[in-house]
Amino acid sequence: MDVFDALADPLRRELLTQLSCGPARVVDLADAHPVSRPAISRHLRVLSEAGLVEADELGRERHYRLRTEPLAEVRSFVTGLMRQPRLPEHTLDALATEVRRTTRDRRRAAAAEDTA
Amino acid sequence: MDVFDALADPLRRELLTQLSCGPARVVDLADAHPVSRPAISRHLRVLSEAGLVEADELGRERHYRLRTEPLAEVRSFVTGLMRQPRLPEHTLDALATEVRRTTRDRRRAAAAEDTA
DNA sequence: CAGATTGGTAACCATTCGGTTACGTTTCCT
DNA sequence: AGGAAACGTAACCGAATGGTTACCAATCTG
C-alpha cells in the first residue's frame, strides 16, 4: 500500500500518533478508538504494508511500533511543492496580466503545433 | 475534502507537481495525463476543496494555480511523527527489560535492531 | 487441563471513489 | 451569426474501502 494512501485515513493517522508515544498492543490501540478490534487489525495491516509500522511478536501479543522511514517520501514531496511557488509577490500579478495578454499568441502556437 | 485525502491519489499528486511549475488550464492538465477531461475536472475540484488549488477565471479559460498553505498541516503531522520516536536511549532499554521480564526467553533482537 | 486472552482472517454489506460518456453553458473566432 | 473551444456537471458503473460479526489458532494462567 502507498504511504500517501496509508496517511489518508484519519483513524490510521491517530494510530500513528498513538504509536509515536511508544509501542502498543492491538488491544490497547483498539481500546482507544471507537471501532472494533478487527478493524484496527486491518488498519495496522495497511500501515504495515506502507512500512509505517512494524510488529514485535511477544508470545501471544504483538507490539506494534512506528517506523518513520517511509515518511521521507511524503516530506520530500511536500517540501518540493512548497519550495517552487516561492516567487516574489509581484511575479504572480505580472504573470496574471501576462497570461491575459498572450492568450492569442498561445492560441496561435497551439495551432502551429497541431499542424506539426 | 481533507488534505491528506487529496494527496492520496497519485494523479492528484501529479497535478500538483505540474502546477508547481506554474498555473495551467484544465485542457493542458488533461493533455498531460491518460484520463478524460471531466476526470481532471473532478480531481481539481477535490484539490480545490482541500485548498490546494485555486482558479483564476480568464474568459472561457480557468487557470489553476497551486496553493501551498494547506500543506503546512501535512508537514507538521509528519515532522511530529518523525520527532517523537527520538526517545532517550534508556526508555527503549527499559521497555526491552520489561519485555524480557514478562516473557520466557526473549533476546534483545529488537534492541539490537534499534541501535543498528 | 480448562478457560480466558490476544490477534489474525473470512464473509458480508453499505458507501465511496475514480473513470467514462452525454450534455449544457459560456466565450472566442471567422 | 454560427461553429469551435474550454469547462463544469449529471448519470452511470465497476472496483476499492471501511466497518461489523463469526471463527480459528496460539498463548498464558489458575
mmCIF file of all heavy atoms in Angstrom, chain B residues 45-84:
data_model
loop_
_atom_site.group_PDB
_atom_site.id
_atom_site.type_symbol
_atom_site.label_atom_id
_atom_site.label_comp_id
_atom_site.label_asym_id
_atom_site.label_seq_id
_atom_site.Cartn_x
_atom_site.Cartn_y
_atom_site.Cartn_z
ATOM 1 N N ARG B 45 -11.479 19.677 -8.510
ATOM 2 C CA ARG B 45 -12.486 20.069 -7.521
ATOM 3 C C ARG B 45 -12.071 19.578 -6.133
ATOM 4 O O ARG B 45 -12.143 20.320 -5.155
ATOM 5 C CB ARG B 45 -13.847 19.486 -7.905
ATOM 6 C CG ARG B 45 -15.005 20.136 -7.196
ATOM 7 C CD ARG B 45 -16.305 19.819 -7.923
ATOM 8 N NE ARG B 45 -17.146 18.940 -7.144
ATOM 9 C CZ ARG B 45 -17.961 19.363 -6.172
ATOM 10 N NH1 ARG B 45 -17.997 20.636 -5.867
ATOM 11 N NH2 ARG B 45 -18.715 18.522 -5.519
ATOM 12 N N VAL B 46 -11.622 18.344 -6.077
ATOM 13 C CA VAL B 46 -11.165 17.794 -4.808
ATOM 14 C C VAL B 46 -10.001 18.619 -4.265
ATOM 15 O O VAL B 46 -9.981 18.999 -3.085
ATOM 16 C CB VAL B 46 -10.732 16.321 -4.985
ATOM 17 C CG1 VAL B 46 -10.054 15.818 -3.729
ATOM 18 C CG2 VAL B 46 -11.929 15.459 -5.336
ATOM 19 N N LEU B 47 -9.052 18.905 -5.143
ATOM 20 C CA LEU B 47 -7.893 19.689 -4.717
ATOM 21 C C LEU B 47 -8.323 21.081 -4.270
ATOM 22 O O LEU B 47 -7.786 21.626 -3.299
ATOM 23 C CB LEU B 47 -6.885 19.799 -5.872
ATOM 24 C CG LEU B 47 -6.174 18.502 -6.248
ATOM 25 C CD1 LEU B 47 -5.366 18.690 -7.526
ATOM 26 C CD2 LEU B 47 -5.278 18.039 -5.104
ATOM 27 N N SER B 48 -9.303 21.609 -4.969
ATOM 28 C CA SER B 48 -9.804 22.942 -4.623
ATOM 29 C C SER B 48 -10.459 22.941 -3.253
ATOM 30 O O SER B 48 -10.238 23.847 -2.440
ATOM 31 C CB SER B 48 -10.785 23.402 -5.695
ATOM 32 O OG SER B 48 -11.394 24.613 -5.310
ATOM 33 N N GLU B 49 -11.261 21.907 -2.985
ATOM 34 C CA GLU B 49 -11.929 21.818 -1.683
ATOM 35 C C GLU B 49 -10.920 21.625 -0.562
ATOM 36 O O GLU B 49 -11.172 21.995 0.582
ATOM 37 C CB GLU B 49 -12.926 20.655 -1.698
ATOM 38 C CG GLU B 49 -14.162 20.952 -2.521
ATOM 39 C CD GLU B 49 -15.086 19.740 -2.615
ATOM 40 O OE1 GLU B 49 -14.767 18.726 -1.967
ATOM 41 O OE2 GLU B 49 -16.100 19.827 -3.323
ATOM 42 N N ALA B 50 -9.785 21.064 -0.905
ATOM 43 C CA ALA B 50 -8.727 20.897 0.087
ATOM 44 C C ALA B 50 -7.903 22.177 0.226
ATOM 45 O O ALA B 50 -7.020 22.257 1.069
ATOM 46 C CB ALA B 50 -7.827 19.726 -0.294
ATOM 47 N N GLY B 51 -8.187 23.153 -0.624
ATOM 48 C CA GLY B 51 -7.456 24.408 -0.564
ATOM 49 C C GLY B 51 -6.106 24.357 -1.232
ATOM 50 O O GLY B 51 -5.316 25.307 -1.150
ATOM 51 N N LEU B 52 -5.833 23.260 -1.921
ATOM 52 C CA LEU B 52 -4.513 23.088 -2.528
ATOM 53 C C LEU B 52 -4.394 23.753 -3.892
ATOM 54 O O LEU B 52 -3.312 23.824 -4.464
ATOM 55 C CB LEU B 52 -4.196 21.590 -2.668
ATOM 56 C CG LEU B 52 -3.837 20.888 -1.367
ATOM 57 C CD1 LEU B 52 -3.846 19.386 -1.540
ATOM 58 C CD2 LEU B 52 -2.466 21.362 -0.896
ATOM 59 N N VAL B 53 -5.522 24.231 -4.370
ATOM 60 C CA VAL B 53 -5.550 24.764 -5.720
ATOM 61 C C VAL B 53 -6.584 25.872 -5.782
ATOM 62 O O VAL B 53 -7.571 25.855 -5.055
ATOM 63 C CB VAL B 53 -5.901 23.615 -6.696
ATOM 64 C CG1 VAL B 53 -6.947 24.031 -7.690
ATOM 65 C CG2 VAL B 53 -4.657 23.100 -7.374
ATOM 66 N N GLU B 54 -6.324 26.862 -6.628
ATOM 67 C CA GLU B 54 -7.280 27.949 -6.811
ATOM 68 C C GLU B 54 -7.300 28.310 -8.290
ATOM 69 O O GLU B 54 -6.307 28.133 -8.984
ATOM 70 C CB GLU B 54 -6.855 29.160 -5.977
ATOM 71 C CG GLU B 54 -8.017 30.053 -5.605
ATOM 72 C CD GLU B 54 -7.660 30.919 -4.390
ATOM 73 O OE1 GLU B 54 -6.786 30.502 -3.609
ATOM 74 O OE2 GLU B 54 -8.235 31.994 -4.260
ATOM 75 N N ALA B 55 -8.439 28.810 -8.755
ATOM 76 C CA ALA B 55 -8.569 29.062 -10.183
ATOM 77 C C ALA B 55 -8.796 30.540 -10.466
ATOM 78 O O ALA B 55 -9.571 31.198 -9.775
ATOM 79 C CB ALA B 55 -9.718 28.244 -10.751
ATOM 80 N N ASP B 56 -8.105 31.046 -11.471
ATOM 81 C CA ASP B 56 -8.368 32.384 -11.992
ATOM 82 C C ASP B 56 -9.171 32.230 -13.273
ATOM 83 O O ASP B 56 -8.748 31.541 -14.197
ATOM 84 C CB ASP B 56 -7.055 33.110 -12.299
ATOM 85 C CG ASP B 56 -6.213 33.282 -11.040
ATOM 86 O OD1 ASP B 56 -6.793 33.653 -10.004
ATOM 87 O OD2 ASP B 56 -5.004 33.040 -11.101
ATOM 88 N N GLU B 57 -10.340 32.858 -13.305
ATOM 89 C CA GLU B 57 -11.161 32.734 -14.495
ATOM 90 C C GLU B 57 -10.765 33.807 -15.488
ATOM 91 O O GLU B 57 -10.855 35.005 -15.208
ATOM 92 C CB GLU B 57 -12.638 32.881 -14.117
ATOM 93 C CG GLU B 57 -13.013 31.997 -12.942
ATOM 94 C CD GLU B 57 -14.497 31.685 -12.916
ATOM 95 O OE1 GLU B 57 -15.210 32.130 -13.844
ATOM 96 O OE2 GLU B 57 -14.932 30.994 -11.976
ATOM 97 N N LEU B 58 -10.339 33.373 -16.646
ATOM 98 C CA LEU B 58 -9.917 34.285 -17.699
ATOM 99 C C LEU B 58 -10.705 33.942 -18.951
ATOM 100 O O LEU B 58 -10.349 33.051 -19.696
ATOM 101 C CB LEU B 58 -8.427 34.135 -17.959
ATOM 102 C CG LEU B 58 -7.509 34.342 -16.740
ATOM 103 C CD1 LEU B 58 -6.073 34.043 -17.086
ATOM 104 C CD2 LEU B 58 -7.655 35.767 -16.221
ATOM 105 N N GLY B 59 -11.788 34.668 -19.142
ATOM 106 C CA GLY B 59 -12.637 34.356 -20.288
ATOM 107 C C GLY B 59 -13.214 32.972 -20.133
ATOM 108 O O GLY B 59 -13.730 32.625 -19.076
ATOM 109 N N ARG B 60 -13.093 32.180 -21.160
ATOM 110 C CA ARG B 60 -13.647 30.832 -21.059
ATOM 111 C C ARG B 60 -12.649 29.878 -20.424
ATOM 112 O O ARG B 60 -12.935 28.710 -20.241
ATOM 113 C CB ARG B 60 -14.039 30.336 -22.454
ATOM 114 C CG ARG B 60 -12.854 30.210 -23.374
ATOM 115 C CD ARG B 60 -13.240 29.682 -24.747
ATOM 116 N NE ARG B 60 -12.205 30.022 -25.713
ATOM 117 C CZ ARG B 60 -12.272 29.660 -26.993
ATOM 118 N NH1 ARG B 60 -13.286 28.977 -27.425
ATOM 119 N NH2 ARG B 60 -11.299 30.000 -27.805
ATOM 120 N N GLU B 61 -11.481 30.396 -20.113
ATOM 121 C CA GLU B 61 -10.467 29.519 -19.528
ATOM 122 C C GLU B 61 -10.417 29.685 -18.020
ATOM 123 O O GLU B 61 -10.793 30.720 -17.479
ATOM 124 C CB GLU B 61 -9.090 29.850 -20.110
ATOM 125 C CG GLU B 61 -9.034 29.763 -21.621
ATOM 126 C CD GLU B 61 -7.651 30.083 -22.139
ATOM 127 O OE1 GLU B 61 -6.796 30.495 -21.324
ATOM 128 O OE2 GLU B 61 -7.420 29.927 -23.353
ATOM 129 N N ARG B 62 -9.971 28.658 -17.357
ATOM 130 C CA ARG B 62 -9.714 28.739 -15.914
ATOM 131 C C ARG B 62 -8.265 28.339 -15.682
ATOM 132 O O ARG B 62 -7.854 27.246 -16.041
ATOM 133 C CB ARG B 62 -10.638 27.799 -15.140
ATOM 134 C CG ARG B 62 -12.094 28.005 -15.452
ATOM 135 C CD ARG B 62 -12.948 27.235 -14.470
ATOM 136 N NE ARG B 62 -13.210 28.023 -13.263
ATOM 137 C CZ ARG B 62 -13.495 27.503 -12.077
ATOM 138 N NH1 ARG B 62 -13.502 26.202 -11.928
ATOM 139 N NH2 ARG B 62 -13.734 28.273 -11.037
ATOM 140 N N HIS B 63 -7.527 29.248 -15.097
ATOM 141 C CA HIS B 63 -6.126 28.964 -14.832
ATOM 142 C C HIS B 63 -5.970 28.552 -13.378
ATOM 143 O O HIS B 63 -6.131 29.371 -12.474
ATOM 144 C CB HIS B 63 -5.262 30.186 -15.151
ATOM 145 C CG HIS B 63 -5.213 30.497 -16.615
ATOM 146 N ND1 HIS B 63 -4.055 30.440 -17.347
ATOM 147 C CD2 HIS B 63 -6.192 30.834 -17.485
ATOM 148 C CE1 HIS B 63 -4.308 30.734 -18.609
ATOM 149 N NE2 HIS B 63 -5.607 30.988 -18.717
ATOM 150 N N TYR B 64 -5.658 27.296 -13.200
ATOM 151 C CA TYR B 64 -5.478 26.780 -11.848
ATOM 152 C C TYR B 64 -4.050 27.036 -11.404
ATOM 153 O O TYR B 64 -3.105 26.926 -12.171
ATOM 154 C CB TYR B 64 -5.775 25.274 -11.814
ATOM 155 C CG TYR B 64 -7.259 24.965 -11.783
ATOM 156 C CD1 TYR B 64 -7.973 24.795 -12.963
ATOM 157 C CD2 TYR B 64 -7.928 24.862 -10.573
ATOM 158 C CE1 TYR B 64 -9.334 24.513 -12.934
ATOM 159 C CE2 TYR B 64 -9.289 24.577 -10.538
ATOM 160 C CZ TYR B 64 -9.974 24.403 -11.718
ATOM 161 O OH TYR B 64 -11.319 24.129 -11.679
ATOM 162 N N ARG B 65 -3.920 27.369 -10.132
ATOM 163 C CA ARG B 65 -2.583 27.563 -9.585
ATOM 164 C C ARG B 65 -2.493 26.909 -8.214
ATOM 165 O O ARG B 65 -3.497 26.717 -7.520
ATOM 166 C CB ARG B 65 -2.235 29.045 -9.515
ATOM 167 C CG ARG B 65 -3.108 29.838 -8.616
ATOM 168 C CD ARG B 65 -2.628 31.303 -8.565
ATOM 169 N NE ARG B 65 -3.210 31.967 -7.415
ATOM 170 C CZ ARG B 65 -4.467 32.376 -7.360
ATOM 171 N NH1 ARG B 65 -5.272 32.201 -8.395
ATOM 172 N NH2 ARG B 65 -4.933 32.937 -6.278
ATOM 173 N N LEU B 66 -1.275 26.547 -7.877
ATOM 174 C CA LEU B 66 -1.031 25.830 -6.629
ATOM 175 C C LEU B 66 -1.193 26.745 -5.424
ATOM 176 O O LEU B 66 -0.913 27.937 -5.490
ATOM 177 C CB LEU B 66 0.391 25.262 -6.659
ATOM 178 C CG LEU B 66 0.813 24.369 -5.503
ATOM 179 C CD1 LEU B 66 -0.048 23.126 -5.449
ATOM 180 C CD2 LEU B 66 2.281 24.003 -5.655
ATOM 181 N N ARG B 67 -1.685 26.138 -4.350
ATOM 182 C CA ARG B 67 -1.828 26.851 -3.076
ATOM 183 C C ARG B 67 -1.183 25.960 -2.030
ATOM 184 O O ARG B 67 -1.643 24.856 -1.789
ATOM 185 C CB ARG B 67 -3.323 27.025 -2.761
ATOM 186 C CG ARG B 67 -3.682 28.363 -2.207
ATOM 187 C CD ARG B 67 -3.874 29.394 -3.314
ATOM 188 N NE ARG B 67 -4.413 30.637 -2.759
ATOM 189 C CZ ARG B 67 -3.648 31.545 -2.185
ATOM 190 N NH1 ARG B 67 -2.352 31.336 -2.063
ATOM 191 N NH2 ARG B 67 -4.182 32.660 -1.716
ATOM 192 N N THR B 68 -0.158 26.453 -1.387
ATOM 193 C CA THR B 68 0.642 25.562 -0.535
ATOM 194 C C THR B 68 0.254 25.627 0.942
ATOM 195 O O THR B 68 0.710 24.790 1.724
ATOM 196 C CB THR B 68 2.132 25.906 -0.659
ATOM 197 O OG1 THR B 68 2.333 27.257 -0.258
ATOM 198 C CG2 THR B 68 2.599 25.707 -2.082
ATOM 199 N N GLU B 69 -0.576 26.589 1.310
ATOM 200 C CA GLU B 69 -0.896 26.740 2.728
ATOM 201 C C GLU B 69 -1.352 25.437 3.387
ATOM 202 O O GLU B 69 -0.864 25.075 4.464
ATOM 203 C CB GLU B 69 -1.967 27.821 2.930
ATOM 204 C CG GLU B 69 -1.476 29.239 2.676
ATOM 205 C CD GLU B 69 -1.471 29.572 1.196
ATOM 206 O OE1 GLU B 69 -1.943 28.721 0.415
ATOM 207 O OE2 GLU B 69 -0.974 30.649 0.827
ATOM 208 N N PRO B 70 -2.291 24.720 2.774
ATOM 209 C CA PRO B 70 -2.787 23.510 3.463
ATOM 210 C C PRO B 70 -1.716 22.455 3.691
ATOM 211 O O PRO B 70 -1.908 21.555 4.510
ATOM 212 C CB PRO B 70 -3.867 22.975 2.493
ATOM 213 C CG PRO B 70 -4.257 24.145 1.667
ATOM 214 C CD PRO B 70 -3.014 24.945 1.508
ATOM 215 N N LEU B 71 -0.612 22.572 2.978
ATOM 216 C CA LEU B 71 0.442 21.579 3.143
ATOM 217 C C LEU B 71 1.105 21.683 4.509
ATOM 218 O O LEU B 71 1.767 20.748 4.966
ATOM 219 C CB LEU B 71 1.506 21.747 2.049
ATOM 220 C CG LEU B 71 1.023 21.450 0.628
ATOM 221 C CD1 LEU B 71 2.122 21.748 -0.378
ATOM 222 C CD2 LEU B 71 0.581 20.004 0.523
ATOM 223 N N ALA B 72 0.902 22.822 5.159
ATOM 224 C CA ALA B 72 1.500 23.007 6.486
ATOM 225 C C ALA B 72 1.018 21.923 7.443
ATOM 226 O O ALA B 72 1.799 21.398 8.247
ATOM 227 C CB ALA B 72 1.154 24.397 7.017
ATOM 228 N N GLU B 73 -0.254 21.593 7.336
ATOM 229 C CA GLU B 73 -0.798 20.566 8.224
ATOM 230 C C GLU B 73 -0.095 19.234 8.010
ATOM 231 O O GLU B 73 0.263 18.547 8.968
ATOM 232 C CB GLU B 73 -2.300 20.411 7.977
ATOM 233 C CG GLU B 73 -2.956 19.437 8.937
ATOM 234 C CD GLU B 73 -4.417 19.196 8.594
ATOM 235 O OE1 GLU B 73 -4.941 19.880 7.696
ATOM 236 O OE2 GLU B 73 -5.027 18.314 9.239
ATOM 237 N N VAL B 74 0.094 18.891 6.758
ATOM 238 C CA VAL B 74 0.769 17.630 6.442
ATOM 239 C C VAL B 74 2.194 17.656 6.987
ATOM 240 O O VAL B 74 2.654 16.715 7.640
ATOM 241 C CB VAL B 74 0.794 17.400 4.918
ATOM 242 C CG1 VAL B 74 1.522 16.112 4.588
ATOM 243 C CG2 VAL B 74 -0.621 17.382 4.372
ATOM 244 N N ARG B 75 2.848 18.770 6.707
ATOM 245 C CA ARG B 75 4.228 18.900 7.147
ATOM 246 C C ARG B 75 4.346 18.738 8.663
ATOM 247 O O ARG B 75 5.186 17.998 9.171
ATOM 248 C CB ARG B 75 4.739 20.275 6.731
ATOM 249 C CG ARG B 75 6.205 20.472 6.923
ATOM 250 C CD ARG B 75 6.610 21.893 6.510
ATOM 251 N NE ARG B 75 7.541 21.926 5.406
ATOM 252 C CZ ARG B 75 8.745 21.349 5.424
ATOM 253 N NH1 ARG B 75 9.123 20.647 6.458
ATOM 254 N NH2 ARG B 75 9.554 21.452 4.399
ATOM 255 N N SER B 76 3.467 19.407 9.374
ATOM 256 C CA SER B 76 3.572 19.366 10.837
ATOM 257 C C SER B 76 3.244 17.974 11.355
ATOM 258 O O SER B 76 3.857 17.500 12.319
ATOM 259 C CB SER B 76 2.651 20.411 11.461
ATOM 260 O OG SER B 76 1.303 19.998 11.378
ATOM 261 N N PHE B 77 2.296 17.328 10.718
ATOM 262 C CA PHE B 77 1.969 15.973 11.156
ATOM 263 C C PHE B 77 3.161 15.042 10.966
ATOM 264 O O PHE B 77 3.542 14.293 11.880
ATOM 265 C CB PHE B 77 0.764 15.437 10.371
ATOM 266 C CG PHE B 77 0.389 14.034 10.718
ATOM 267 C CD1 PHE B 77 -0.294 13.744 11.889
ATOM 268 C CD2 PHE B 77 0.738 12.988 9.880
ATOM 269 C CE1 PHE B 77 -0.631 12.441 12.210
ATOM 270 C CE2 PHE B 77 0.408 11.681 10.197
ATOM 271 C CZ PHE B 77 -0.269 11.409 11.369
ATOM 272 N N VAL B 78 3.760 15.132 9.803
ATOM 273 C CA VAL B 78 4.896 14.254 9.503
ATOM 274 C C VAL B 78 6.074 14.545 10.426
ATOM 275 O O VAL B 78 6.664 13.623 11.002
ATOM 276 C CB VAL B 78 5.315 14.415 8.026
ATOM 277 C CG1 VAL B 78 6.657 13.753 7.780
ATOM 278 C CG2 VAL B 78 4.247 13.815 7.118
ATOM 279 N N THR B 79 6.395 15.800 10.575
ATOM 280 C CA THR B 79 7.530 16.131 11.448
ATOM 281 C C THR B 79 7.223 15.728 12.875
ATOM 282 O O THR B 79 8.119 15.302 13.603
ATOM 283 C CB THR B 79 7.851 17.641 11.384
ATOM 284 O OG1 THR B 79 6.691 18.376 11.746
ATOM 285 C CG2 THR B 79 8.306 18.029 9.991
ATOM 286 N N GLY B 80 5.965 15.858 13.258
ATOM 287 C CA GLY B 80 5.577 15.417 14.593
ATOM 288 C C GLY B 80 5.875 13.950 14.794
ATOM 289 O O GLY B 80 6.420 13.550 15.824
ATOM 290 N N LEU B 81 5.546 13.147 13.817
ATOM 291 C CA LEU B 81 5.809 11.714 13.928
ATOM 292 C C LEU B 81 7.302 11.415 13.908
ATOM 293 O O LEU B 81 7.774 10.528 14.607
ATOM 294 C CB LEU B 81 5.134 10.969 12.774
ATOM 295 C CG LEU B 81 3.628 10.811 12.838
ATOM 296 C CD1 LEU B 81 3.161 9.900 11.717
ATOM 297 C CD2 LEU B 81 3.193 10.271 14.180
ATOM 298 N N MET B 82 8.022 12.164 13.104
ATOM 299 C CA MET B 82 9.457 11.875 12.966
ATOM 300 C C MET B 82 10.243 12.328 14.187
ATOM 301 O O MET B 82 11.320 11.810 14.463
ATOM 302 C CB MET B 82 10.007 12.552 11.713
ATOM 303 C CG MET B 82 9.444 11.967 10.438
ATOM 304 S SD MET B 82 10.103 12.723 8.932
ATOM 305 C CE MET B 82 11.461 11.632 8.546
ATOM 306 N N ARG B 83 9.723 13.299 14.878
ATOM 307 C CA ARG B 83 10.459 13.796 16.024
ATOM 308 C C ARG B 83 10.264 12.905 17.237
ATOM 309 O O ARG B 83 11.195 12.629 17.976
ATOM 310 C CB ARG B 83 10.005 15.210 16.359
ATOM 311 C CG ARG B 83 10.765 15.821 17.530
ATOM 312 C CD ARG B 83 10.307 17.243 17.696
ATOM 313 N NE ARG B 83 8.870 17.326 17.392
ATOM 314 C CZ ARG B 83 8.284 18.428 16.972
ATOM 315 N NH1 ARG B 83 9.001 19.497 16.752
ATOM 316 N NH2 ARG B 83 6.985 18.444 16.755
ATOM 317 N N GLN B 84 9.026 12.446 17.420
ATOM 318 C CA GLN B 84 8.687 11.700 18.621
ATOM 319 C C GLN B 84 9.573 10.490 18.894
ATOM 320 O O GLN B 84 10.066 10.339 19.994
ATOM 321 C CB GLN B 84 7.228 11.265 18.573
ATOM 322 C CG GLN B 84 6.275 12.346 19.028
ATOM 323 C CD GLN B 84 6.412 12.635 20.513
ATOM 324 O OE1 GLN B 84 7.511 12.630 21.061
ATOM 325 N NE2 GLN B 84 5.302 12.879 21.155
#
